[in-house]
Amino acid sequence: MTCRDLGGPCDRQHRGETADEVIQAQDRHLAEAEQSGDATHQPAREAMKARWRRPRQSLHWYRDVQRSFAALPAGPS
């Protein structure tokens, strides 16, 4: 999945064995962008921070990501 697929502004790919790993990779990417002063990622970073603070309210987003991740074609084995 890409940063854009997860609500960010760019096409950086995030990979992992589970949706949770992909979400955590996106969180790290947004944190690194924020630390480097990348203002284009700021709204996505604020949204991700809000999801971590209010996980119950963010279940809809989380389940959407899980469905999108499950629908991705299988990678090379």
Side-chain angles (χ1 to χ4, degrees):
M1 298 182 80
T2 67
C3 173
R4 190 181 311 268
D5 294 331
L6 296 164
C10 75
D11 292 324
R12 180 169 173 180
Q13 290 282 330
H14 298 304
R15 293 182 172 80
E17 295 296 318
T18 66
D20 287 345
E21 289 176 3
V22 171
I23 290 168
Q24 290 168 359
Q26 171 74 345
D27 190 42
R28 285 189 302 272
H29 167 60
L30 295 175
E32 289 166 4
E34 181 182 54
Q35 289 171 355
S36 72
D38 181 350
T40 62
H41 282 73
Q42 193 62 38
R45 176 66 173 147
E46 292 303 319
M48 185 65 83
K49 284 180 186 177
R51 287 183 198 106
W52 288 129
R53 283 192 297 266
R54 294 182 288 282
R56 285 187 180 156
Q57 294 174 359
S58 299
L59 273 178
H60 183 70
W61 175 86
Y62 178 72
R63 289 182 180 139
D64 284 346
V65 170
Q66 284 185 314
R67 276 192 291 276
S68 298
F69 181 81
L72 291 174
S77 298

